[in-house]
């Protein structure tokens, strides 16, 4: 069974479609692990990340509690507009101006960050300095998918060699050589391989993944398709934390656009939404979560 097809088990548990007596031990174990599965669906989630706590999250929580069920979230990735609240309707509302309780409960969402105000040395975010590229039309005007169109006409080994000679490194903190990781995957005997994009960032002040998924999702999809061509994978999974509902929506729409346009060359991608667990940003815990298990770190 595809790892991308295991995740809906958690969603079924959350929706109450699996009655308690019918659950297996594995299902009960997963249900007891994730924060989202222990909260009523109408719960407001007040961000308690470092930035929000420093800007009055506790006071905000106390103010909202008499009006609605409140829980904690860590982190909503709106560190530039703290404190923030995730509503049951999927809108993230910033309360940085101490706005009225009714406006937080029923007003408009926070919208997207103008990344040009935050980044004067564009590296990963170079395209976003020039505006939102979340639509397929805007992405293609900026050159997205040109590389994969050329790459699929060449042997996978050429792409691996190009990445290795280019000394491309991951930007998650370790600076691990991308070519070495891709080569290890390509060299591993397997009938099926998968490309997994980790969209579960949660460290204080870290929201670059959210901005990329919300405003440049097609670049992410092209990168996954390139990796798939290089390592021999035909399936991809974008794991997005539940605290990023807009990223989930935008990424799903981008996948549908790309599939309809046929720009991924048969590479199939699904979105897997997290269920509230900081540790799932660690890659092995993330894989467990995708497989419908407790998000615990593997040895």
């Amino acid at each position: 069974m595809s790892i991308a097809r295991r995740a809906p088990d958690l969603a079924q548990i959350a929706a109450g479609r699996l009655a308690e007596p019918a659950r297996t031990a594995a299902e009960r174990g997963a249900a007891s692990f994730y924060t989202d599965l222990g909260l009523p669906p109408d719960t407001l989630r007040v961000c308690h990340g470092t930035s929000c706590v420093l800007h009055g999250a506790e006071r905000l929580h106390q103010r909202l509690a008499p009006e609605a069920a409140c829980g904690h979230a860590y982190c909503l990735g709106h560190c530039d507009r703290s404190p923030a609240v995730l509503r049951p309707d999927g809108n993230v509302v910033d309360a940085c101006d101490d706005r009225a309780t009714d406006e937080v409960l029923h007003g408009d969402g926070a919208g997207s960050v103008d990344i040009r105000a935050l980044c004067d040395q564009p590296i990963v975010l170079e395209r976003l300095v020039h505006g939102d590229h979340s639509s397929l039309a805007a992405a293609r005007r900026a050159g997205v998918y040109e590389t994969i169109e050329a790459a699929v006409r060449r042997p996978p080994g050429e792409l691996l060699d190009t990445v290795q000679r280019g000394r491309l490194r991951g930007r998650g903190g370790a600076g691990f050589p991308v070519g070495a990781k891709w080569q290890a995957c390509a060299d591993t005997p397997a009938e099926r391989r998968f490309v997994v994009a980790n969209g579960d960032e949660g460290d204080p002040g870290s929201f670059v993944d959210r901005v990329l998924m919300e405003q440049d999702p097609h670049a992410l999809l092209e990168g996954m398709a390139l990796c798939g061509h290089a390592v021999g994978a035909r399936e991809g999974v974008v794991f997005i934390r539940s605290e990023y509902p807009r990223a989930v929506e935008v990424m799903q729409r981008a996948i549908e656009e790309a599939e309809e346009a046929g720009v991924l060359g048969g590479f199939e991608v699904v979105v897997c939404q997290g269920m509230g667990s900081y540790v799932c940003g660690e890659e092995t815990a993330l894989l467990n979560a995708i497989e419908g298990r407790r998000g615990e770190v593997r040895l």
Side-chain angles (χ1 to χ4, degrees):
M1 179 181 292
S2 165
I3 59 172
R5 304 297 183 261
R6 290 289 302 276
D9 295 345
L10 293 181
Q12 289 179 341
I13 295 171
R17 290 195 291 270
L18 293 177
E20 184 66 37
R23 294 181 183 178
T24 65
E27 290 166 345
R28 288 196 300 272
S32 66
F33 181 85
Y34 296 97
T35 301
D36 291 5
L37 301 184
L39 295 174
D42 59 348
T43 302
L44 287 172
R45 299 179 65 186
V46 180
C47 183
H48 278 66
T50 304
S51 179
C52 286
V53 168
L54 292 174
H55 285 82
E58 289 292 352
R59 293 193 304 275
L60 177 62
H61 195 141
Q62 293 169 8
R63 196 173 86 227
L64 295 173
E67 305 294 331
C70 286
H72 289 191
Y74 190 91
C75 154
L76 297 181
H78 286 261
C79 310
D80 58 313
R81 289 165 290 171
S82 306
V85 179
L86 173 59
R87 296 197 314 229
D89 63 6
N91 277 314
V92 176
V93 183
D94 69 80
C96 56
D97 55 359
D98 201 28
R99 61 179 62 183
T101 298
D102 186 66
E103 191 173 351
V104 173
L105 293 174
H106 308 294
D108 295 333
S112 60
V113 176
D114 183 354
I115 196 63
R116 287 169 290 182
L118 304 175
C119 180
D120 60 358
Q121 293 182 343
I123 304 173
V124 179
L125 308 175
E126 181 175 2
R127 237 188 318 273
L128 302 189
V129 175
H130 304 290
D132 190 315
H133 287 76
S134 57
S135 72
L136 178 61
R140 299 210 73 172
R141 284 196 299 270
V144 181
Y145 296 122
E146 290 179 359
T147 303
I148 187 64
E149 289 174 357
V152 294
R153 295 193 292 266
R154 311 294 299 173
E158 285 192 15
L159 178 55
L160 278 171
D161 182 61
T162 299
V163 172
Q164 289 171 338
R165 286 188 291 106
R167 301 176 68 182
L168 180 65
R169 294 179 177 270
R171 294 191 177 276
F176 193 83
V178 174
K181 181 180 287 189
W182 289 13
Q183 188 69 62
C185 181
D187 291 344
T188 300
E191 293 183 3
R192 297 169 69 186
R193 297 184 176 90
F194 302 86
V195 178
V196 179
N198 184 347
D200 195 285
E201 61 188 349
D203 289 322
S206 300
F207 52 94
V208 64
D209 290 353
R210 178 182 66 78
V211 174
L212 285 170
M213 290 185 291
E214 290 179 357
Q215 298 193 32
D216 204 10
H218 289 283
L220 173 60
L221 293 178
E222 183 181 29
M224 294 180 70
L226 284 165
C227 179
H229 177 65
V231 305
R234 305 300 298 169
E235 298 171 80
V237 183
V238 185
F239 186 89
I240 306 177
R241 59 203 315 263
S242 64
E243 293 87 349
Y244 287 178
R246 185 169 182 269
V248 173
E249 177 185 349
V250 173
M251 184 57 65
Q252 188 61 58
R253 185 168 61 247
I255 291 171
E256 293 170 0
E257 286 182 323
E259 289 180 344
E260 185 176 347
V263 292
L264 295 178
F267 184 75
E268 297 183 3
V269 185
V270 298
V271 171
C272 178
Q273 186 169 347
M275 289 288 175
S277 173
Y278 171 80
V279 73
C280 286
E282 194 279 332
E283 60 183 22
T284 61
L286 178 146
L287 294 176
N288 277 339
I290 290 174
E291 294 175 353
R293 302 171 181 168
R294 292 171 66 87
E296 296 175 334
V297 176
R298 300 178 183 177
L299 293 177

